[in-house]
Amino acid sequence: MQAAPAVVPEDDDLAVLLRSAAMEGNTVIMTFTNKAWTSPGSLLDLFLESFREGDNTEPLLKHLVIVAVDGKAFEQCKLVHPLCYYLDVGSGVNMTAEKAYMSKDYLEMMWVRNKFQTRVLELGYAFLFTDMDIVWFRNALLHIPVGADITISSDKYKDDDGAPYGPQAANGGFLYARPSDRTIAFFKGWYEARKVHKRQHDQYVFDRVKQELSLQHGVVLHFIDTAYIGGFCQPKKDFRRLCTFHGNCLRGLGLKLERLRGVLDEWKKFRIAEQHSANNTTS
């Protein structure tokens, strides 16, 4: 594993960083990254660019915490963003390279992420977790229902399946959680369930325990429509409604970067056309 940088925030510093990043309601936006995804010209640059190109999304960068799981990613993050946190995942796991889907290191990273999210809840912060292979167009927090404890995206949203509370297939790349005893208990139960569902990722386990844990802890779980939180699995590209677009159902960093760059370029053209239309209307 890549050696940790010389100066690394300790666990106590996480609370300080979250406090500086929190918006109204004690909410932060978070993402995870490693060296492969953070290298210049890679997904980190595209991810941050989308916030600057979105509709009033640039102010959200003040509330974005980027969690780096290796030293190189942490150092690169600090060059382009003020709110970076180094998460020491321990020895024996190489987190620097691109991780093949369902590989041992990939699964380890997913569960490290899950455990870290629980720590954030325990510190009293709500979080909106966003994968870095997501481009932002609008403030997605505006589509988080007030009454939900956990809001999560899905690869394919089924309108006729009891949505938004029905048995959708979860995608943890977009995940909002409110801090409470019941939500923390849900997350801890989710993490422990990996021992039963061995060699599986967090989303697979989530889908198998979500109903039981929701009932057990009184958690209100909400799935969000892909019309607002979209992706390549179900590409409803109506830019008048979309808040984010996920590079899901794509394998490989290079392909994700190419296709998401294309989507962001489409968004830019849409914004220009909308502006021209508005100017013609007022002239």
Side-chain angles (χ1 to χ4, degrees), residues 2-283:
Q2 174 67 38
V7 179
V8 176
E10 297 178 355
D11 285 349
D12 289 347
D13 290 334
L14 176 59
V16 176
L17 182 62
L18 293 174
R19 191 179 307 122
S20 66
M23 64 183 78
E24 184 179 354
N26 242 23
T27 300
V28 297
I29 302 171
M30 299 192 309
T31 191
F32 262 52
T33 192
N34 66 357
K35 176 185 175 183
W37 287 44
T38 312
S39 301
S42 191
L43 280 170
L44 174 60
D45 288 343
L46 184 65
F47 180 71
L48 295 176
E49 180 185 348
S50 74
F51 279 90
R52 294 189 289 267
E53 293 290 343
D55 184 2
N56 200 31
T57 51
E58 188 166 11
L60 295 175
L61 290 173
K62 296 183 297 183
H63 310 291
L64 171 67
V65 174
I66 299 176
V67 180
V69 295
D70 65 76
K72 288 293 186 182
F74 180 62
E75 294 298 333
Q76 180 62 30
C77 177
K78 290 191 297 181
L79 295 176
V80 296
H81 189 67
L83 299 169
C84 303
Y85 183 78
Y86 178 84
L87 179 61
D88 186 357
V89 298
S91 60
V93 182
N94 179 4
M95 289 291 183
T96 62
E98 180 183 355
K99 302 304 175 189
Y101 180 69
M102 293 304 293
S103 67
K104 180 181 177 181
D105 284 352
Y106 171 88
L107 295 175
E108 180 68 21
M109 184 179 290
M110 294 302 99
W111 288 113
V112 164
R113 185 178 79 178
N114 176 273
K115 196 168 185 178
F116 182 82
Q117 291 167 345
T118 306
R119 285 174 56 196
V120 172
L121 293 173
E122 289 174 328
L123 287 169
Y125 290 88
F127 68 80
L128 172 53
F129 178 82
T130 167
D131 271 348
M132 193 167 280
D133 61 338
I134 288 179
V135 286
W136 281 61
F137 309 126
R138 295 182 177 87
N139 185 353
L141 284 161
L142 299 178
H143 288 280
I144 303 298
V146 174
D149 297 298
I150 297 173
T151 299
I152 192 166
S153 64
S154 58
D155 287 332
K156 295 183 179 180
Y157 188 78
K158 303 175 184 178
D159 292 309
D160 60 348
D161 206 7
Y165 303 102
Q168 309 280 343
N171 186 310
F174 181 98
L175 171 64
Y176 180 87
R178 302 181 191 278
S180 67
D181 289 343
R182 60 182 180 272
T183 306
I184 292 169
F186 182 104
F187 268 73
K188 287 184 175 180
W190 178 11
Y191 185 81
E192 286 301 311
R194 82 196 192 285
K195 297 175 183 177
V196 176
H197 303 278
K198 296 180 179 179
R199 295 183 292 278
Q200 293 294 343
H201 56 68
D202 56 331
Q203 292 171 184
Y204 177 95
V205 176
F206 182 93
D207 281 332
R208 278 142 189 85
V209 301
K210 62 191 176 188
Q211 185 173 3
E212 175 188 350
L213 291 178
S214 295
L215 292 173
Q216 180 181 350
H217 301 297
V219 165
V220 178
L221 179 62
H222 179 94
F223 286 88
I224 196 162
D225 196 333
T226 47
Y228 304 104
I229 308 300
F232 287 108
C233 295
Q234 193 177 47
K236 304 175 184 177
K237 280 196 285 185
D238 181 353
F239 286 115
R240 293 167 297 180
R241 305 172 71 191
L242 272 175
C243 295
T244 67
F245 200 86
H246 194 177
N248 54 8
C249 290
L250 299 176
R251 297 287 180 89
L253 177 57
L255 182 59
K256 285 177 180 285
L257 190 59
E258 176 188 347
R259 298 287 298 277
L260 286 171
R261 166 59 65 188
V263 173
L264 186 57
D265 287 344
E266 287 182 60
W267 163 256
K268 292 177 183 179
K269 292 176 183 177
F270 168 80
R271 291 292 303 280
I272 292 172
E274 287 284 288
Q275 187 61 51
H276 285 169
S277 177
N279 291 339
N280 291 335
T281 301
T282 56
S283 61

